[in-house]
Amino acid sequence: MTPLIKHKKMKKIAAAVLLGLVLTTCKKTKSEWTTLLVDNSLNGWHMFQDNGTKKGWVVVDDVLIFNGVSDMESGEGDASLLSDKMYENFEIQFDWKIIPGGNSGFMWGVQENEKYRYPYQTGQEIQILDPEIYNDPTITLGGDIEVQNALEDLGVYKHFVGALYDMSPPVRTDVAKPADQWNSYHIKIDYKANLGEVILNDVLINSFPLKGRQWEAMYQKSKFSDSEAEGSEYLGDARWHDFAKFSKGYICFQDHPGKVSFRNIRIKEL
């Protein structure tokens, strides 16, 4: 082998090794977990379509807390908390704790536009609530509407802890810890694999598609398929028309009745 040929061959090998290192590094970086509460602050987060007057969220000792009056009670506009960054395929882990009778949720695929009044007009939701509500719906915070929602879902569980709200109930209802105790969620949203999963306190309690025939069947049986339903005027002209239409969007913690706390929030993009 001549020195010139040997030199060219060595350059090709070096280039291949360098490319492999770059690809490996990129893959590793993309799959790393990222903490979403930084410097004990709300940096990296904003309230839904904030006009500068919305409030209710604080971070105390690295715990994210909604301790405000929800829009259902104040009528001052939804103050759900959105990430500044958009996500599409990801896993997220966090602990949550809610007061007796409280209700909240985690959403993804949320969009911001003046035509939307609420993040759940676009984003799908994994339910968070006090499980005792299903034993005594009268403790439900948020007034008659929320009490009625609980009563209508008894035995169905499409609004229970870990449900894909109004679409897919959890397969187990005995895993959630009572109000004022910490629970742990590990949620996977993967459009490439067409798979959503909810792990509650280390137990897989829900698995569902994110598109396709099975998802469409769940959608058609849900309230989201009827944009002209009586009582949906509060949503504005957009109604549910864009529900779940966006795989990429903001992740969101819901403004809803009752103090709710979150900690150890971290995300990994897939």
Side-chain angles (χ1 to χ4, degrees):
M1 183 182 295
T2 67
L4 180 61
I5 294 175
K6 184 176 181 180
H7 177 68
K8 288 182 177 179
K9 185 174 182 180
M10 292 300 295
K11 284 182 68 177
K12 287 182 180 179
I13 293 173
V17 171
L18 179 61
L19 179 60
L21 288 172
V22 169
L23 292 174
T24 301
T25 301
C26 289
K27 185 176 181 181
K28 182 179 179 181
T29 301
K30 191 173 183 180
S31 65
E32 288 179 346
W33 288 97
T34 301
T35 299
L36 293 183
L37 281 184
V38 181
D39 298 328
N40 203 39
S41 71
L42 289 172
N43 291 340
W45 298 87
H46 65 279
M47 278 173 275
F48 179 69
Q49 301 187 166
D50 190 13
N51 56 9
T53 65
K54 295 185 177 183
K55 56 187 178 181
W57 293 92
V58 295
V59 180
V60 179
D61 296 331
D62 293 314
V63 177
L64 174 65
I65 302 169
F66 179 71
N67 198 19
V69 179
S70 75
D71 175 58
M72 290 183 65
E73 299 156 297
S74 70
E76 295 178 358
D78 192 284
S80 295
L81 194 68
L82 276 59
S83 59
D84 289 346
K85 180 178 178 178
M86 286 188 165
Y87 298 91
E88 186 170 18
N89 301 299
F90 62 89
E91 292 183 49
I92 188 167
Q93 295 179 340
F94 57 88
D95 301 329
W96 58 268
K97 178 174 66 174
I98 199 158
I99 66 170
N103 184 337
S104 186
F106 167 79
M107 285 175 268
W108 73 93
V110 173
Q111 308 296 307
E112 286 187 295
N113 188 296
E114 289 184 359
K115 66 181 178 179
Y116 305 129
R117 296 182 181 178
Y118 303 94
Y120 50 77
Q121 288 179 264
T122 52
Q124 298 182 73
E125 175 188 350
I126 302 301
Q127 177 73 301
I128 293 171
L129 88 166
D130 172 13
E132 185 61 23
I133 286 173
Y134 277 64
N135 293 323
D136 181 7
T138 63
I139 69 171
T140 307
L141 301 178
D144 293 341
I145 292 177
E146 289 298 295
V147 173
Q148 188 61 33
N149 283 340
L151 287 169
E152 292 176 356
D153 197 51
L154 295 179
V156 182
Y157 293 101
K158 290 201 298 182
H159 301 170
F160 195 71
V161 180
L164 173 61
Y165 189 85
D166 211 50
M167 296 183 67
S168 175
V171 295
R172 287 184 57 176
T173 59
D174 60 345
V175 181
K177 296 178 183 178
D180 292 327
Q181 293 188 30
W182 286 106
N183 288 273
S184 177
Y185 263 163
H186 183 159
I187 298 169
K188 181 177 182 179
I189 302 299
D190 189 349
Y191 284 90
K192 294 180 292 184
N194 192 22
L195 178 65
E197 290 183 338
V198 181
I199 297 173
L200 172 63
N201 300 330
D202 297 321
V203 178
L204 178 63
I205 63 168
N206 208 344
S207 180
F208 47 85
L210 299 168
K211 55 189 176 181
R213 289 184 179 180
Q214 189 179 348
W215 183 91
E216 185 66 26
M218 296 190 303
Y219 168 75
Q220 290 298 333
K221 294 178 181 178
S222 75
K223 69 177 183 179
F224 305 115
S225 66
D226 188 0
S227 284
E228 305 309 318
E230 184 179 352
S232 63
E233 295 84 358
Y234 75 99
L235 297 170
D237 293 339
R239 304 292 179 96
W240 302 115
H241 295 304
D242 292 337
F243 174 75
K245 292 291 180 63
F246 307 92
S247 60
K248 186 173 184 178
Y250 303 105
I251 58 174
C252 169
F253 292 114
Q254 190 177 32
D255 158 5
H256 236 45
K259 178 181 177 181
V260 61
S261 304
F262 302 93
R263 70 180 184 186
N264 300 327
I265 308 169
R266 61 179 194 156
I267 196 166
K268 177 171 67 175
E269 296 186 74
L270 301 176

